[in-house]
Amino acid sequence: MERPLFSARAEAFPAGLRVLVVDDDPTWLKILEKMLRKCSYEVTTCSLATDALSMLREQKDKFDIVISDVNMPDMDGFKLLEHVGLEMDLPVIMMSIDGETSRVMKGVQHGACDYLLKPVRMKELKNIWQHVYRKKMHELKEIQTHYNNEDINILRYGSEDLDDRNLTDGITNISSARKRKDVDYKEFGDQEFGDPSRLKKARVVWSVDLHQKFVNAVNQIGLDKVGPKKILDLMNVPGLTRENVASHLQKYRLYLSRLQKQSEDSTSGGNMPSDLINNDNVANFELTSSTNMQQCSEHTKHVGTSENLVPGIIADAHIGDIKKIVPVQGIESEKGLISDSPISQNFNNVPRLSALFSFKGMTPGIEEKAREPTTSKHQTLHDGAPRMQCMHYPGQGNCGMLDDYSYLSSSDQDHQVSFNLCSSSPVISATVTNEKDMKDLSEMKPVPTDQRNAHFAAIPQVACMTGSVSLQIKHGMVHSQDAGAICKLDGSPNTKGCSTEQIDNQECFPLTCEFSPKSEAELDSLPGDLHLCSIQKFGCFEDVGFGGAENFQDIISTPDTQVQNDWYISSELNNDYLYETVDYPLIDECLFA
Amino acid sequence: MESSDLQRRYIDFTSTLFREGFLDSQYTQLQQLQDESNPEFVTEVVTLFFQDSEKLQDDLTRTLDQEVVDFKKVAAHVHQLKGSSASIGAQRVKNVCMAFRICCEEMNREGCLGCLQQARQEYFLVKSKLETVFRLEQQIVAGGGSIPTMW
């Protein structure tokens, strides 16, 4: 953006703030324009949402903030909100004469940074600049976090090959990396304080063209295998960073899952209670295949050592006859393995963790049919903690899962190996992040699903992962070679049809996993040692807490805020997004090794 | 008429409007927004309101006149009318809209028609009163006086 008075404008901030007002009521439009001018803002008015969108698209950098009415004839204000959030990433304030809580909530859920009630007062408008400023601060932080992650990666791995890395080494590295990050951040922060508008440089505006390139790249790679780096390479856009792609990918996933949710709304049932995973679900899944079990048995040794398992984690690998779904749970490095506990109990023990699943690279031999995740609906925001649905289990071998759990202990290599031996099915590595108390991330192992039945054992909803997830994975956090794809496996009581149902309240991308812990005790007892998947934007979870390893803490530091802003994507984006329902690979065999 | 008389009349008249609930504090806000850069601001806004409201009322009449009434559509129009009336502080019109909305939710056609009639009445009342206010203002200014501020 070329603004001759750039620095003058920056110094005068918030004066000169460029506001776009959208309201179908001409009276209000005139009044608001007058009020905003009195605040010394630069005002552009628009009475049609569609006009506003094209204006925004044409001149990406022309506005700092958008104020829009909720009820408009040509387009719902919430949809406009989503579009703006997705494409331009500008702060949007909603307005309405209707102040009903449900409406306000909807606004917030769709990403509005504020909701004003009409008649709007001058003092409210005078303060809208804070939203612009806040967003810039967040972006700054994200960038910093991103760079720190990169550093961590380099520090820990040197290359992108996980195979040789030892988890424990990684942990040490993370801590030291984190210290560096803190220092860097402070320095960075100081520089920018004087001119928030300079932060704009960091923001990439996703034009229709750019987005189309993005979508093409994603389609080419396959959503299940996609990762920010791959997309970035394919897109071949100079100046675009992996972080940009990663955050956009997350939003895109949210959008897709929302689309799916909408298409399934008529067929799907209601929300599932948050402690969802119940016996019924479990019963729907069957474990099969003795071959898998056999393969898994090689890894049973890991099982025994998985102190990493969080309570409630799946039963022992040698439970070869388990026909139920074993919940995938957060793995903590210090927790004992839960073995021999009945599956149903496991559900109850699921800690409140959000798991990140990555399919990418983990499924060398995944078969297509195994791809349908079942989804579970569950309520979000239970006591403000992320809800986690129990996961599902492999159709074929708990051992795989157990192996994965034991993964957290130091034997990466083993895991890797067993993984390769084990399965031809996708491996879902989940990184579980605990809310609040969790200091570290725990990894969740993917739950193999029964390929044959295309069932997904209660698939946890994995938080949408962005490029940072792939970072994690590379670090060996996630037991996958390439954390490109994040799948949301939603466990649902109804495992047929592998339809990816959206979790109603969450509106997560299909790639979200959630775990509902049954008891707070579980939560608290999670060791501080969990490996936290670095989630840049936890768009899918409104209240995901991040305990994460220190180095990741900042990454996920503002989940709530991020979530608010990155939520929902309107299905009206059909014009732009030509994507269809994505199949998610299921884990059907022991995946972890 | 003397300027001071006019001014007194003006003050009395507008105070009554506020007291009787025809106008609320939003109208005062509009008056406060008016300044030298835009001395006709209030009249312009109110004129916009008149135009918009009359159109909405016509829409409402038409929608309620259908064989099968689309109450969602009626409610949408009512919502717009409510927003519009709130913009200039036409309180009584706004209040009718609230009752009107309930009739829509109840899919009560008769009720809706009754509300529409009431809305029209209130609208025309406030319209004529505002026109009186503007006339008085013009007269004061023409007489060389200044319009008293009511806040």
Side-chain angles (χ1 to χ4, degrees), chain A residues 147-166:
Chain A
Y147 287 125
N148 286 328
N149 282 348
E150 296 270 285
D151 290 341
I152 290 165
N153 283 348
I154 293 165
L155 200 65
R156 289 177 75 184
Y157 298 97
S159 67
E160 306 220 312
D161 183 5
L162 289 178
D163 287 354
D164 306 311
R165 297 304 166 181
N166 185 308

PDB file of all heavy atoms in Angstrom, chain A residues 147-166:
ATOM      1  N   TYR A 147       8.953 -17.818  13.830  1.00  0.00           N
ATOM      2  CA  TYR A 147      10.398 -17.844  13.643  1.00  0.00           C
ATOM      3  C   TYR A 147      11.079 -18.643  14.725  1.00  0.00           C
ATOM      4  O   TYR A 147      12.057 -19.331  14.500  1.00  0.00           O
ATOM      5  CB  TYR A 147      10.968 -16.439  13.569  1.00  0.00           C
ATOM      6  CG  TYR A 147      10.637 -15.779  12.269  1.00  0.00           C
ATOM      7  CD1 TYR A 147       9.990 -14.557  12.231  1.00  0.00           C
ATOM      8  CD2 TYR A 147      10.949 -16.408  11.066  1.00  0.00           C
ATOM      9  CE1 TYR A 147       9.667 -13.968  11.035  1.00  0.00           C
ATOM     10  CE2 TYR A 147      10.613 -15.822   9.865  1.00  0.00           C
ATOM     11  CZ  TYR A 147       9.984 -14.607   9.852  1.00  0.00           C
ATOM     12  OH  TYR A 147       9.651 -14.022   8.669  1.00  0.00           O
ATOM     13  N   ASN A 148      10.518 -18.531  15.881  1.00  0.00           N
ATOM     14  CA  ASN A 148      11.096 -19.305  16.959  1.00  0.00           C
ATOM     15  C   ASN A 148      10.926 -20.789  16.732  1.00  0.00           C
ATOM     16  O   ASN A 148      11.799 -21.577  17.015  1.00  0.00           O
ATOM     17  CB  ASN A 148      10.459 -18.916  18.287  1.00  0.00           C
ATOM     18  CG  ASN A 148      10.975 -17.572  18.728  1.00  0.00           C
ATOM     19  OD1 ASN A 148      12.110 -17.230  18.438  1.00  0.00           O
ATOM     20  ND2 ASN A 148      10.161 -16.807  19.403  1.00  0.00           N
ATOM     21  N   ASN A 149       9.787 -21.119  16.217  1.00  0.00           N
ATOM     22  CA  ASN A 149       9.564 -22.524  15.919  1.00  0.00           C
ATOM     23  C   ASN A 149      10.558 -23.015  14.915  1.00  0.00           C
ATOM     24  O   ASN A 149      11.097 -24.104  15.036  1.00  0.00           O
ATOM     25  CB  ASN A 149       8.174 -22.737  15.345  1.00  0.00           C
ATOM     26  CG  ASN A 149       7.155 -22.717  16.438  1.00  0.00           C
ATOM     27  OD1 ASN A 149       7.526 -22.763  17.593  1.00  0.00           O
ATOM     28  ND2 ASN A 149       5.906 -22.650  16.073  1.00  0.00           N
ATOM     29  N   GLU A 150      10.748 -22.207  13.931  1.00  0.00           N
ATOM     30  CA  GLU A 150      11.698 -22.608  12.897  1.00  0.00           C
ATOM     31  C   GLU A 150      13.046 -22.840  13.532  1.00  0.00           C
ATOM     32  O   GLU A 150      13.734 -23.789  13.244  1.00  0.00           O
ATOM     33  CB  GLU A 150      11.830 -21.507  11.846  1.00  0.00           C
ATOM     34  CG  GLU A 150      10.547 -21.236  11.084  1.00  0.00           C
ATOM     35  CD  GLU A 150      10.458 -22.110   9.845  1.00  0.00           C
ATOM     36  OE1 GLU A 150      11.164 -21.820   8.881  1.00  0.00           O
ATOM     37  OE2 GLU A 150       9.698 -23.072   9.865  1.00  0.00           O
ATOM     38  N   ASP A 151      13.371 -21.944  14.406  1.00  0.00           N
ATOM     39  CA  ASP A 151      14.656 -22.083  15.073  1.00  0.00           C
ATOM     40  C   ASP A 151      14.704 -23.359  15.877  1.00  0.00           C
ATOM     41  O   ASP A 151      15.705 -24.058  15.895  1.00  0.00           O
ATOM     42  CB  ASP A 151      14.887 -20.896  16.011  1.00  0.00           C
ATOM     43  CG  ASP A 151      15.115 -19.622  15.230  1.00  0.00           C
ATOM     44  OD1 ASP A 151      15.449 -19.728  14.036  1.00  0.00           O
ATOM     45  OD2 ASP A 151      14.947 -18.534  15.809  1.00  0.00           O
ATOM     46  N   ILE A 152      13.614 -23.616  16.502  1.00  0.00           N
ATOM     47  CA  ILE A 152      13.568 -24.818  17.315  1.00  0.00           C
ATOM     48  C   ILE A 152      13.753 -26.037  16.448  1.00  0.00           C
ATOM     49  O   ILE A 152      14.471 -26.964  16.778  1.00  0.00           O
ATOM     50  CB  ILE A 152      12.222 -24.917  18.042  1.00  0.00           C
ATOM     51  CG1 ILE A 152      12.167 -23.835  19.101  1.00  0.00           C
ATOM     52  CG2 ILE A 152      12.036 -26.281  18.669  1.00  0.00           C
ATOM     53  CD1 ILE A 152      10.794 -23.593  19.617  1.00  0.00           C
ATOM     54  N   ASN A 153      13.092 -26.003  15.340  1.00  0.00           N
ATOM     55  CA  ASN A 153      13.211 -27.121  14.435  1.00  0.00           C
ATOM     56  C   ASN A 153      14.638 -27.360  14.056  1.00  0.00           C
ATOM     57  O   ASN A 153      15.126 -28.466  14.085  1.00  0.00           O
ATOM     58  CB  ASN A 153      12.465 -26.839  13.140  1.00  0.00           C
ATOM     59  CG  ASN A 153      11.012 -27.025  13.357  1.00  0.00           C
ATOM     60  OD1 ASN A 153      10.632 -27.553  14.367  1.00  0.00           O
ATOM     61  ND2 ASN A 153      10.225 -26.600  12.409  1.00  0.00           N
ATOM     62  N   ILE A 154      15.231 -26.281  13.681  1.00  0.00           N
ATOM     63  CA  ILE A 154      16.614 -26.415  13.237  1.00  0.00           C
ATOM     64  C   ILE A 154      17.460 -26.921  14.381  1.00  0.00           C
ATOM     65  O   ILE A 154      18.299 -27.787  14.231  1.00  0.00           O
ATOM     66  CB  ILE A 154      17.140 -25.062  12.740  1.00  0.00           C
ATOM     67  CG1 ILE A 154      16.386 -24.683  11.472  1.00  0.00           C
ATOM     68  CG2 ILE A 154      18.626 -25.134  12.494  1.00  0.00           C
ATOM     69  CD1 ILE A 154      16.542 -23.248  11.100  1.00  0.00           C
ATOM     70  N   LEU A 155      17.167 -26.360  15.480  1.00  0.00           N
ATOM     71  CA  LEU A 155      17.912 -26.719  16.667  1.00  0.00           C
ATOM     72  C   LEU A 155      17.784 -28.200  16.979  1.00  0.00           C
ATOM     73  O   LEU A 155      18.726 -28.885  17.299  1.00  0.00           O
ATOM     74  CB  LEU A 155      17.345 -25.908  17.829  1.00  0.00           C
ATOM     75  CG  LEU A 155      18.211 -25.746  19.046  1.00  0.00           C
ATOM     76  CD1 LEU A 155      19.425 -24.939  18.685  1.00  0.00           C
ATOM     77  CD2 LEU A 155      17.407 -25.030  20.110  1.00  0.00           C
ATOM     78  N   ARG A 156      16.592 -28.644  16.873  1.00  0.00           N
ATOM     79  CA  ARG A 156      16.364 -30.009  17.260  1.00  0.00           C
ATOM     80  C   ARG A 156      16.697 -31.003  16.199  1.00  0.00           C
ATOM     81  O   ARG A 156      17.159 -32.072  16.457  1.00  0.00           O
ATOM     82  CB  ARG A 156      14.919 -30.184  17.655  1.00  0.00           C
ATOM     83  CG  ARG A 156      14.620 -29.502  18.947  1.00  0.00           C
ATOM     84  CD  ARG A 156      13.180 -29.632  19.257  1.00  0.00           C
ATOM     85  NE  ARG A 156      12.876 -30.984  19.705  1.00  0.00           N
ATOM     86  CZ  ARG A 156      11.672 -31.403  19.975  1.00  0.00           C
ATOM     87  NH1 ARG A 156      10.655 -30.611  19.818  1.00  0.00           N
ATOM     88  NH2 ARG A 156      11.449 -32.615  20.385  1.00  0.00           N
ATOM     89  N   TYR A 157      16.408 -30.633  15.058  1.00  0.00           N
ATOM     90  CA  TYR A 157      16.547 -31.656  14.055  1.00  0.00           C
ATOM     91  C   TYR A 157      17.554 -31.431  12.991  1.00  0.00           C
ATOM     92  O   TYR A 157      17.998 -32.354  12.354  1.00  0.00           O
ATOM     93  CB  TYR A 157      15.207 -31.890  13.403  1.00  0.00           C
ATOM     94  CG  TYR A 157      14.292 -32.365  14.444  1.00  0.00           C
ATOM     95  CD1 TYR A 157      13.441 -31.468  15.073  1.00  0.00           C
ATOM     96  CD2 TYR A 157      14.362 -33.670  14.875  1.00  0.00           C
ATOM     97  CE1 TYR A 157      12.658 -31.908  16.104  1.00  0.00           C
ATOM     98  CE2 TYR A 157      13.571 -34.085  15.893  1.00  0.00           C
ATOM     99  CZ  TYR A 157      12.726 -33.214  16.505  1.00  0.00           C
ATOM    100  OH  TYR A 157      11.952 -33.624  17.500  1.00  0.00           O
ATOM    101  N   GLY A 158      17.818 -30.259  12.762  1.00  0.00           N
ATOM    102  CA  GLY A 158      18.793 -30.036  11.704  1.00  0.00           C
ATOM    103  C   GLY A 158      18.161 -30.238  10.356  1.00  0.00           C
ATOM    104  O   GLY A 158      18.190 -29.381   9.496  1.00  0.00           O
ATOM    105  N   SER A 159      17.570 -31.347  10.193  1.00  0.00           N
ATOM    106  CA  SER A 159      16.901 -31.578   8.926  1.00  0.00           C
ATOM    107  C   SER A 159      15.463 -31.895   9.214  1.00  0.00           C
ATOM    108  O   SER A 159      15.040 -31.865  10.350  1.00  0.00           O
ATOM    109  CB  SER A 159      17.537 -32.752   8.199  1.00  0.00           C
ATOM    110  OG  SER A 159      17.260 -33.919   8.944  1.00  0.00           O
ATOM    111  N   GLU A 160      14.775 -32.223   8.228  1.00  0.00           N
ATOM    112  CA  GLU A 160      13.376 -32.501   8.460  1.00  0.00           C
ATOM    113  C   GLU A 160      13.131 -33.976   8.684  1.00  0.00           C
ATOM    114  O   GLU A 160      12.021 -34.445   8.628  1.00  0.00           O
ATOM    115  CB  GLU A 160      12.549 -32.024   7.279  1.00  0.00           C
ATOM    116  CG  GLU A 160      12.803 -30.574   6.965  1.00  0.00           C
ATOM    117  CD  GLU A 160      11.532 -29.868   6.600  1.00  0.00           C
ATOM    118  OE1 GLU A 160      10.804 -30.420   5.776  1.00  0.00           O
ATOM    119  OE2 GLU A 160      11.289 -28.792   7.152  1.00  0.00           O
ATOM    120  N   ASP A 161      14.142 -34.653   8.941  1.00  0.00           N
ATOM    121  CA  ASP A 161      13.997 -36.077   9.124  1.00  0.00           C
ATOM    122  C   ASP A 161      13.884 -36.400  10.597  1.00  0.00           C
ATOM    123  O   ASP A 161      14.782 -36.135  11.377  1.00  0.00           O
ATOM    124  CB  ASP A 161      15.210 -36.775   8.524  1.00  0.00           C
ATOM    125  CG  ASP A 161      15.058 -38.271   8.628  1.00  0.00           C
ATOM    126  OD1 ASP A 161      14.007 -38.740   9.056  1.00  0.00           O
ATOM    127  OD2 ASP A 161      16.025 -38.956   8.275  1.00  0.00           O
ATOM    128  N   LEU A 162      12.836 -36.965  10.952  1.00  0.00           N
ATOM    129  CA  LEU A 162      12.604 -37.232  12.352  1.00  0.00           C
ATOM    130  C   LEU A 162      13.307 -38.464  12.858  1.00  0.00           C
ATOM    131  O   LEU A 162      13.502 -38.649  14.033  1.00  0.00           O
ATOM    132  CB  LEU A 162      11.124 -37.458  12.589  1.00  0.00           C
ATOM    133  CG  LEU A 162      10.245 -36.239  12.480  1.00  0.00           C
ATOM    134  CD1 LEU A 162       8.833 -36.683  12.698  1.00  0.00           C
ATOM    135  CD2 LEU A 162      10.640 -35.239  13.523  1.00  0.00           C
ATOM    136  N   ASP A 163      13.627 -39.264  11.947  1.00  0.00           N
ATOM    137  CA  ASP A 163      14.034 -40.603  12.368  1.00  0.00           C
ATOM    138  C   ASP A 163      15.085 -40.677  13.438  1.00  0.00           C
ATOM    139  O   ASP A 163      15.084 -41.577  14.252  1.00  0.00           O
ATOM    140  CB  ASP A 163      14.519 -41.396  11.152  1.00  0.00           C
ATOM    141  CG  ASP A 163      13.327 -41.781  10.290  1.00  0.00           C
ATOM    142  OD1 ASP A 163      12.196 -41.534  10.705  1.00  0.00           O
ATOM    143  OD2 ASP A 163      13.557 -42.307   9.193  1.00  0.00           O
ATOM    144  N   ASP A 164      16.009 -39.782  13.363  1.00  0.00           N
ATOM    145  CA  ASP A 164      17.096 -39.934  14.310  1.00  0.00           C
ATOM    146  C   ASP A 164      16.908 -39.195  15.609  1.00  0.00           C
ATOM    147  O   ASP A 164      17.797 -39.142  16.425  1.00  0.00           O
ATOM    148  CB  ASP A 164      18.394 -39.425  13.676  1.00  0.00           C
ATOM    149  CG  ASP A 164      18.623 -40.100  12.358  1.00  0.00           C
ATOM    150  OD1 ASP A 164      18.533 -41.327  12.311  1.00  0.00           O
ATOM    151  OD2 ASP A 164      18.851 -39.393  11.372  1.00  0.00           O
ATOM    152  N   ARG A 165      15.784 -38.607  15.703  1.00  0.00           N
ATOM    153  CA  ARG A 165      15.685 -37.756  16.874  1.00  0.00           C
ATOM    154  C   ARG A 165      15.143 -38.477  18.080  1.00  0.00           C
ATOM    155  O   ARG A 165      14.259 -39.294  18.007  1.00  0.00           O
ATOM    156  CB  ARG A 165      14.775 -36.582  16.541  1.00  0.00           C
ATOM    157  CG  ARG A 165      15.347 -35.730  15.452  1.00  0.00           C
ATOM    158  CD  ARG A 165      16.704 -35.242  15.796  1.00  0.00           C
ATOM    159  NE  ARG A 165      17.387 -34.705  14.637  1.00  0.00           N
ATOM    160  CZ  ARG A 165      18.606 -34.219  14.676  1.00  0.00           C
ATOM    161  NH1 ARG A 165      19.249 -34.223  15.806  1.00  0.00           N
ATOM    162  NH2 ARG A 165      19.146 -33.729  13.596  1.00  0.00           N
ATOM    163  N   ASN A 166      15.665 -38.062  19.107  1.00  0.00           N
ATOM    164  CA  ASN A 166      15.221 -38.628  20.356  1.00  0.00           C
ATOM    165  C   ASN A 166      14.348 -37.604  21.052  1.00  0.00           C
ATOM    166  O   ASN A 166      14.684 -36.446  21.128  1.00  0.00           O
ATOM    167  CB  ASN A 166      16.450 -38.947  21.203  1.00  0.00           C
ATOM    168  CG  ASN A 166      16.045 -39.661  22.459  1.00  0.00           C
ATOM    169  OD1 ASN A 166      15.176 -39.200  23.188  1.00  0.00           O
ATOM    170  ND2 ASN A 166      16.643 -40.792  22.704  1.00  0.00           N
TER     171      ASN A 166
END
